[in-house]
Amino acid sequence: MNKLKTIGFSFVLMTVVLLQACTKDNDLSTQKTDLKVTIENPTDLEAVEIKSGTISFTEINSGNITTSNDFTNNELVISLPEGSYDISFEGEIEYQLDGQTQTSTVRGYQTGLVLSGPTAIATVELFLHSETAGFVIKEIFFTGTGSFEGKTYHGDKYFIIYNNSDEVLYADGLVIAESTFNTTSKTQYTPDVMNEAFTTGTIVMIPGEGEEYPIQPGESFTVANNAINHLELNPNSLDLTSAEFELEMLTTINADNPQVEDLINIFGPMTMHDRGHKSYVLARFETSTEEFLANNKYTYEYLSNSGIPMDRDAYKLPNDWVIDAVNLSVQTTFEWLVTSPSLDMGWTYCAVVNSDDDRYGKSVIRRVLTTTPDGREILKDTNNSTEDFEAGVKPSLMN
């Protein structure tokens, strides 16, 4: 009987301890941090004044969003639950330019701010934002397809580029560049050039002398990995023989269609990461290819996971040359944007987890904003891929 009493007492004691531990954990989860945010005006502008704006705090793990417009003299103090946050700002500024008062839409973004403890500080740099019509990346099918034998199949990936304007545009000389850095692995690289350039090690260019490839308003063109009928090799795939261009890939995986124009490998080739760890930009060189390669080399340094100093070589593609940008990632392992937020303030995905077999046969497709009276679709282009794209949907070229 005494033994039973002892066991009973121990059980009750353990239960109390566990309840106290749970209570303590709950208390910790509701601890708050007083965060002071300084909003920095765009550089190279005079007499800048914020006329309106909203700052949003998104807790990365829970998805909870807190907003405020209660800032004074470009500063705001807010109390937030401890956690990891993305901060974004959207508003309007007034400034002086050539003696004239101008207004402009501005944005700002900071990712991965960890709040822990009673106080913290953060800075959000603003940049001018305008929604301009032109070429946009309409779709990226980067996952490939699974075969009926349970194997992966990668040759059927593609980009679709769309003329989102109301005038004829020419595809000649457009470049597609892939990020060097992964959106799923944030590391402190130096020097940090993100606010001035996109870091890339893979660049391909559409051929042409200037007006060989006209694209009508509301029309698009497809860049295929291999512009063949993949259904002949994999019944789960698609027919890409109607693609306007194809990538010139490694000889071991290149299935060339001689009737489809190859892109020029400036620095490549490009194979497209099938889990979405990379990001892509559409751009035009403002110098010759030779001058770009000679003048835009970028050597960056970082610490490996074991703390060993490392350095790597890449190229800097100036942000001013970029026409459109799309950050890709994995839903549960995203860590950072690898473009300046002035190019893209969001990201989209197909895979929920890093080794998600369900990602195969899925694409990211830009949303339709509106349709003109003559039936031309205007695609959504706010420079925020989270808002602009449908994530993990059926590829548009797959029947």
Side-chain angles (χ1 to χ4, degrees):
M1 178 65 75
N2 289 338
K3 183 177 181 181
L4 289 175
K5 287 183 178 180
T6 301
I7 293 174
F9 176 77
S10 299
F11 176 77
V12 171
L13 180 62
M14 183 179 297
T15 302
V16 170
V17 170
L18 287 173
L19 286 173
Q20 288 178 339
C22 291
T23 301
K24 185 176 181 181
D25 288 343
N26 289 336
D27 288 341
L28 286 173
S29 66
T30 57
Q31 293 295 314
K32 291 194 172 184
T33 298
D34 290 331
L35 173 65
K36 179 181 179 181
V37 180
T38 300
I39 303 169
E40 290 193 354
N41 294 324
T43 57
D44 302 325
L45 296 179
E46 296 180 356
V48 179
E49 180 183 355
I50 297 177
K51 304 302 293 184
S52 64
T54 299
I55 189 164
S56 300
F57 305 87
T58 302
E59 207 289 310
I60 298 171
N61 300 300
S62 66
N64 293 332
I65 301 175
T66 304
T67 62
S68 177
N69 55 13
D70 186 21
F71 50 86
T72 304
N73 297 326
N74 287 43
E75 290 187 347
L76 173 144
V77 177
I78 188 170
S79 182
L80 295 170
E82 292 183 341
S84 298
Y85 287 84
D86 289 340
I87 307 174
S88 61
F89 179 94
E90 294 196 29
E92 186 178 79
I93 62 170
E94 188 175 88
Y95 59 98
Q96 295 292 314
L97 181 65
D98 297 329
Q100 300 293 320
T101 300
Q102 307 282 337
T103 60
S104 176
T105 301
V106 287
R107 287 179 168 181
Y109 186 79
Q110 186 186 75
T111 185
L113 175 68
V114 177
L115 298 184
S116 178
T119 61
I121 59 174
T123 300
V124 177
E125 298 178 2
L126 300 186
F127 54 86
L128 297 179
H129 170 72
S130 62
E131 296 178 14
T132 57
F135 280 121
V136 296
I137 299 172
K138 179 180 181 179
E139 180 178 358
I140 309 178
F141 176 48
F142 59 90
T143 61
T145 50
S147 73
F148 65 96
E149 298 171 336
K151 300 178 181 178
T152 57
Y153 186 86
H154 295 292
D156 50 5
K157 304 172 185 178
Y158 63 81
F159 298 93
I160 296 182
I161 311 301
Y162 184 82
N163 180 355
N164 210 30
S165 76
D166 59 359
E167 59 184 1
V168 177
L169 300 176
Y170 295 89
D172 308 51
L174 283 175
V175 300
I176 302 172
E178 182 181 75
S179 65
T180 296
F181 304 140
N182 290 346
T183 59
T184 56
S185 178
K186 184 175 182 179
T187 304
Q188 187 66 43
Y189 298 94
T190 56
D192 183 353
V193 299
M194 192 173 293
N195 284 335
E196 65 179 79
F198 177 72
T199 301
T200 178
T202 308
I203 309 170
V204 295
M205 176 183 285
I206 294 171
E209 297 301 320
E211 295 187 353
E212 294 182 33
Y213 301 106
I215 309 298
Q216 299 297 319
E219 298 296 325
S220 62
F221 63 90
T222 300
V223 177
N225 267 22
N226 293 316
I228 64 173
N229 184 2
H230 296 274
L231 291 168
E232 296 176 354
L233 302 172
N234 177 14
N236 294 333
S237 189
L238 62 158
D239 184 354
L240 288 177
T241 53
S242 62
E244 285 76 15
F245 301 97
E246 68 178 347
L247 299 174
E248 184 177 345
M249 306 177 72
L250 294 169
T251 54
T252 54
I253 56 176
N254 193 42
D256 183 62
N257 182 343
Q259 297 180 336
V260 177
E261 191 78 39
D262 282 348
L263 266 62
I264 302 166
N265 283 340
I266 303 299
F267 200 81
M270 181 178 291
T271 57
M272 301 171 69
H273 197 290
D274 71 356
R275 284 173 285 175
H277 290 189
K278 300 292 186 178
S279 298
Y280 297 90
V281 301
L282 187 68
R284 284 190 189 277
F285 286 170
E286 296 186 6
T287 63
S288 68
T289 298
E290 293 74 20
E291 289 176 324
F292 170 79
L293 293 175
N295 299 327
N296 290 274
K297 292 181 180 179
Y298 167 47
T299 299
Y300 58 91
E301 299 176 349
Y302 65 99
L303 293 178
S304 69
N305 292 334
S306 57
I308 300 174
M310 308 285 286
D311 62 80
R312 293 287 186 271
D313 294 325
Y315 284 94
K316 298 183 296 183
L317 181 60
N319 290 340
D320 291 343
W321 299 5
V322 173
I323 299 169
D324 192 29
V326 181
N327 280 286
L328 300 176
S329 197
V330 176
Q331 187 180 33
T332 56
T333 57
F334 168 79
E335 290 195 6
W336 68 323
L337 301 178
V338 295
T339 66
S340 164
S342 63
L343 302 179
D344 188 10
M345 278 181 58
W347 53 280
T348 186
Y349 66 94
C350 286
V352 175
V353 295
N354 201 35
S355 299
D356 190 353
D357 288 342
D358 289 338
R359 72 185 185 274
Y360 297 120
K362 292 181 180 178
S363 185
V364 295
I365 301 177
R366 192 177 290 271
R367 303 175 192 269
V368 176
L369 178 64
T370 187
T371 303
T372 64
D374 61 359
R376 177 172 61 88
E377 291 183 339
I378 299 176
L379 304 185
K380 189 173 183 180
D381 182 22
T382 66
N383 292 349
N384 185 335
S385 290
T386 305
E387 302 294 333
D388 293 346
F389 280 83
E390 294 279 356
V393 294
K394 182 178 180 180
S396 64
L397 300 184
M398 184 177 288
N399 294 327

